[in-house]
Amino acid sequence: MNTHKPLHFKTFAMILIMIIAGPLGNVLLGRGMKRVGAASITSLTSLAHVADSIFTNGWIWLGVASLLTFFIANILVLSWADYSFVQPASSMAYGVVALLSVLLLGESVTLLRWVGIAIICLGVFIVGRTHPRTTEHS
Amino acid sequence: MFKLIYFFMIVVAGTGGELCVSRAMKGIGEVHDFRPSAVLQVIGRALRKKWMWLGIGLMTLAFFSLLAVLSFEKVSFVVPVTALSYVAGALGGRFFLGERISLNRWTGICLVCIGVTLVFLGKG
């Protein structure tokens, strides 16, 4: 029986969820935290004020929900695939996060940074061609 | 200085947290059933593992460090720089989880690191 293909389909389906939900979560958190502003915590009162600003911000909660989706996909895929495969393979998310930062937050990304992101994606491609499991079933 | 500490926490606590979660999930075994009730059962089993709680604690620390950095830096700068965790992750996978990392995988990880360096240098 060939169990190789289902393993790869499941793995890449979960990684696809991760590379969409993770970057989207980070971009939403970025939008939320820019509204909160750079925090200066000097006392318990200021800490409470910052915590209140964070936890009453809708963008933060949307970001947390998106990252939670990422986290669940992450722990599911880690139940069968190597951590050292999953982590680099999901790094395609770095390209997605830059793209979403430009499109949704209006950030400027320099040419050198895009080149860096392209090299990250090349690294991901090479890692993705290695077998996802190198250890035996427990 | 605070910026460096925040990045350090994101990379080290984040990677440590993921390694702990990975160790907990390996103890549960491969997930075959993806119906919501079955996934919830898996999450319930995972939450009974001490490694999972240690992992969640470390990832929470990394999360709040990430929030702090995002309040004053661009998302398109912060997130790629956190990919420095690849080296930590590969070393952790090798020595903490006993995974075997092939030459090809090391090559890919090295390219990711070079890419991250360029992202850092291309800070606009």
Side-chain angles (χ1 to χ4, degrees), chain B residues 58-80:
Chain B
L58 286 169
M59 288 168 87
T60 303
L61 196 60
F63 175 73
F64 282 103
S65 302
L66 176 70
L67 281 188
V69 174
L70 285 177
S71 71
F72 55 82
E73 281 286 2
K74 285 181 179 177
V75 177
S76 57
F77 172 71
V78 174
V79 177

Side-chain angles (χ1 to χ4, degrees), chain A residues 21-22 24-30 57-70, chain B residues 63:
Chain A
L24 185 63
N26 282 317
V27 167
L28 292 170
L29 288 182
N57 188 311
W59 293 111
I60 300 283
W61 285 108
L62 279 174
V64 169
S66 192
L67 287 178
L68 204 58
T69 305
F70 163 85
Chain B
F63 175 73

